[in-house]
Amino acid sequence: MRRKILIPNLLVVCIAGVLITFAHSPAAFAHSGTAEEQSACTPDVLSLCFWDIPSEDRIVACLNRNIKKLSPACRKVIDGPPDTAADKKPDKTKR
């Protein structure tokens, strides 16, 4: 019985150690996005792209590959703002 309890506890301790290490590494400070964007995607990164940490490029690629599995908040961050290119087209009627 005791062995079954130790394995999940050991796993939790290992994961916590990895997260703490990455949280305090210089690579953790090189990330982009606002705090709100990061918090929106953190659960998705941890559940879908854990093995890609700490590489931001690999995390973004992973999130894009798993776009249909993302939470609505993270999908909104990954999709970006709505395309406003139509609003920025020059008006051909003005001269």
Side-chain angles (χ1 to χ4, degrees), residues 25-32 56:
S25 71
F29 298 110
H31 55 330
S32 60
E56 185 176 351

Side-chain angles (χ1 to χ4, degrees), residues 16-31 53-54:
V18 168
L19 292 175
I20 289 169
T21 301
F22 289 133
H24 294 296
S25 71
F29 298 110
H31 55 330
I53 296 171

Side-chain angles (χ1 to χ4, degrees), residues 6-20:
L6 282 178
I7 292 173
N9 288 342
L10 182 60
L11 182 61
V12 169
V13 170
C14 289
I15 290 173
V18 168
L19 292 175
I20 289 169

Side-chain angles (χ1 to χ4, degrees), residues 82-91:
D83 188 18
T84 57
D87 297 337
K88 295 183 180 181
K89 286 183 182 177
D91 189 2

Side-chain angles (χ1 to χ4, degrees), residues 38-91:
Q38 292 170 27
S39 64
C41 288
T42 296
D44 295 304
V45 169
L46 293 176
S47 66
L48 299 170
C49 307
F50 180 79
W51 300 111
D52 297 316
I53 296 171
S55 172
E56 185 176 351
D57 292 337
R58 288 177 52 191
I59 291 170
V60 171
C62 174
L63 291 174
N64 280 307
R65 278 192 313 271
N66 292 290
I67 194 84
K68 292 183 180 183
K69 296 178 184 177
L70 298 180
S71 64
C74 186
R75 188 175 306 148
K76 188 175 179 181
V77 170
I78 297 299
D79 285 343
D83 188 18
T84 57
D87 297 337
K88 295 183 180 181
K89 286 183 182 177
D91 189 2

